[in-house]
Amino acid sequence: MSVQVKLLWLPHGKGLPLPRQQTAGAAGLDLAAALEPDEVLDIAPGDYAKIPTGLAIALPEGFEAQVRPRSGLAARHGITVLNSPGTVDADYRGEVMVLLINHGRETFTLRRGERIAQMVVAPVSAVTLVEVTELDATVRGEGGHGSTGR
């Protein structure tokens, strides 16, 4: 499925590469840090920071964008998206921001243009909750966390 998303570069994002899927089978579009050209941002172990992307988007109605971690940053540095996945709603028109946290052992240094997260655009279901007095029985029942094995 293909979906068109309008993108507006904010002044501090101009000159950054257009977010794109890096391979034909990739789900996410890479987002880059829109720091100032000479700015260096250090994220200490256990600390987090809100990183600008320099862009705003207009999603079609019935879609959302999920901001997710990049596996390479997580595997190599312990860097992930704190509120993963972050949700960008179809009616939001502000800057897409990425909340990164450092779960690693060393300070992580970030510079302009570095790919920091990926954005996945997905359809959203319109949901109507219906109150009932009882739910249908299943084999699993009320088994929650860890109930299906190790």
Side-chain angles (χ1 to χ4, degrees), residues 5 7 18-22 26-32 66 68 70 117-121:
V5 176
L7 178 143
L18 189 68
R20 67 181 184 92
Q21 292 153 308
Q22 296 292 321
L29 295 90
D30 284 345
L31 298 174
Q66 298 175 4
R68 300 178 182 179
R70 292 190 65 235
Q118 57 183 326
M119 181 173 71
V120 175
V121 175

Side-chain angles (χ1 to χ4, degrees), residues 13 35 40 75 92 106 114-117 125-126 142 144 147:
L35 302 175
V40 175
Y92 176 68
E106 298 177 11
E114 291 186 35
R115 294 179 295 157
I116 54 171
S125 299
E142 295 181 12
S147 67

Side-chain angles (χ1 to χ4, degrees), residues 129-136:
L129 295 177
V130 178
E131 276 190 69
V132 297
T133 57
E134 188 175 306
L135 298 176
D136 301 340

Side-chain angles (χ1 to χ4, degrees), residues 7-18 33-35 37 53-55 112:
L7 178 143
L8 173 68
W9 283 115
L10 303 173
H12 59 283
K14 292 192 186 218
L16 289 174
L18 189 68
L35 302 175
T53 64
L55 59 88
R112 180 178 180 81

Side-chain angles (χ1 to χ4, degrees), residues 56-116:
I57 59 175
L59 293 159
E61 189 173 323
F63 286 85
E64 66 160 333
Q66 298 175 4
V67 178
R68 300 178 182 179
R70 292 190 65 235
S71 59
L73 284 180
R76 287 191 297 276
H77 305 285
I79 300 296
T80 191
V81 176
L82 182 58
N83 61 325
S84 182
T87 299
V88 180
D89 295 308
D91 59 351
Y92 176 68
R93 294 297 181 268
E95 181 173 11
V96 175
M97 303 291 281
V98 178
L99 191 56
L100 291 182
I101 186 166
N102 183 351
H103 287 302
R105 294 183 189 99
E106 298 177 11
T107 297
F108 180 73
T109 300
L110 186 61
R111 292 176 175 81
R112 180 178 180 81
E114 291 186 35
R115 294 179 295 157
I116 54 171

